[in-house]
Amino acid sequence: MTEVRKHYDELLSRHYSWMMGDYETNVHRYTDFFRKHLIVPLLSKRAIDLGCGTGFQCMALAEMGFKVVGVDMCAPLLDELKRRGRGQNISAVQADITRFRSSVRELPVEVITCMGDTLSHLDSFDTVTRLFDEIHRSLEQGGLVVLSFRDNHVELKGADRVIPVRSDSDKLMTTFLEFRGNHLVVNDIIYTKASTGWSVEKGSYKKLRIGAEWAARQLERRGFRIMWEGVEDGFAVIIAER
């Protein structure tokens, strides 16, 4: 996680909001997702969002009526969540998501989300399964975990490894992927227009190649019941009940 944290702190955090697009549109998208899948407060009304970033899922869960704790390592992203979440039933915690239990006071909770490819930022498959164990321990009986991640078990070849992220008249971002066994190396390249011309920033970090079938099987081994599997906006999504 150290490599990922450095990449976000030194590069992506400055461009994250631009990269992700309109904030309110993203919040509405997740609110619609939670509503469609009937993720509503029925038990304690407490929720945790692991790898919350600037808080799209936090804001959506709060809109649904949950009391939300957002956990992330990147201080600039949490600062934006705190600013946008004023007046909402949301608290932000800077912590390693694999140690979230030591940073969240009120446990167990009704819903835990880990979305937007956060899982693939972990350093090993063992770390992912240990996180699944911690999530299981932290959910109420009948509580839900919601996961989303890019299913990268199929290796891309040639020019297909170049992924356009976003562009406008003043900025362009693209990513180049290198597949290396159980990991892939993400090379982010960001061009920014200034009065003196275009400047470029670059950075790299590793991701796990997590497959949806593997993740679902690991959840079931820990006593979860898979409620829904599918693909939303290019991300594999799993909803499971404790």
Side-chain angles (χ1 to χ4, degrees):
M1 291 289 283
T2 302
E3 185 182 77
V4 175
R5 181 174 185 173
K6 181 179 179 182
H7 186 75
Y8 271 76
D9 286 347
E10 296 183 0
L11 178 63
L12 282 192
S13 63
R14 296 195 305 277
H15 304 282
Y16 188 86
S17 293
W18 169 85
M19 178 179 74
M20 298 303 294
D22 182 70
Y23 193 92
E24 293 302 325
T25 298
N26 280 297
V27 172
H28 290 321
R29 178 164 58 89
Y30 283 108
T31 303
D32 289 343
F33 171 85
F34 293 138
R35 186 174 290 117
K36 179 176 73 172
H37 292 285
L38 304 179
I39 300 173
V40 296
L42 297 173
L43 303 171
S44 68
K45 302 182 180 181
R46 295 192 296 266
I48 300 171
D49 181 20
L50 300 176
C52 62
T54 57
F56 304 140
Q57 295 90 1
C58 289
M59 298 288 280
L61 288 166
E63 179 72 20
M64 298 299 294
F66 288 98
K67 178 182 180 182
V68 188
V69 178
V71 182
D72 203 287
M73 291 194 304
C74 186
L77 302 187
L78 289 174
D79 288 343
E80 182 172 348
L81 168 58
K82 292 173 185 177
R83 185 174 69 255
R84 291 182 179 274
R86 289 192 185 106
Q88 301 289 338
N89 205 354
I90 299 171
S91 57
V93 174
Q94 186 176 10
D96 184 332
I97 66 166
T98 64
R99 300 183 178 91
F100 74 92
R101 284 179 58 85
S102 63
S103 303
V104 178
R105 295 180 181 179
E106 295 182 281
L107 292 171
V109 299
E110 183 173 353
V111 171
I112 296 179
T113 59
C114 187
M115 305 182 75
D117 222 15
T118 296
L119 275 182
S120 67
H121 292 162
L122 300 182
D123 55 13
S124 70
F125 290 102
D126 285 343
T127 305
V128 175
T129 55
R130 287 197 298 271
L131 179 61
F132 288 173
D133 289 331
E134 294 301 289
I135 289 173
H136 192 273
R137 290 175 59 200
S138 304
L139 281 171
E140 299 164 340
Q141 192 63 41
L144 299 175
V145 59
V146 185
L147 307 175
S148 75
F149 50 91
R150 293 195 183 277
D151 189 331
N152 287 308
H153 77 282
V154 175
E155 182 174 344
L156 301 179
K157 303 286 187 179
D160 288 339
R161 295 174 294 166
V162 179
I163 312 296
V165 179
R166 192 180 178 202
S167 64
D168 59 26
S169 59
D170 297 314
K171 191 179 294 189
L172 181 150
M173 179 176 179
T174 189
T175 293
F176 174 69
L177 305 178
E178 300 175 80
F179 289 79
R180 299 180 181 177
N182 289 331
H183 291 83
L184 57 83
V185 177
V186 179
N187 301 283
D188 287 330
I189 307 166
I190 302 172
Y191 297 89
T192 304
K193 188 178 181 180
S195 58
T196 55
W198 289 86
S199 64
V200 62
E201 299 172 89
K202 296 175 284 187
S204 302
Y205 67 106
K206 287 198 304 184
K207 279 186 177 182
L208 277 176
R209 294 174 62 188
I210 299 175
E213 183 179 345
W214 176 86
R217 186 169 67 250
Q218 296 302 320
L219 289 170
E220 288 175 330
R221 287 177 178 175
R222 282 149 182 83
F224 284 100
R225 181 166 67 99
I226 305 300
M227 305 295 289
W228 189 83
E229 291 183 74
V231 178
E232 297 267 350
D233 298 317
F235 286 83
V237 180
I238 301 173
I239 302 172
E241 181 183 68
R242 184 189 191 281

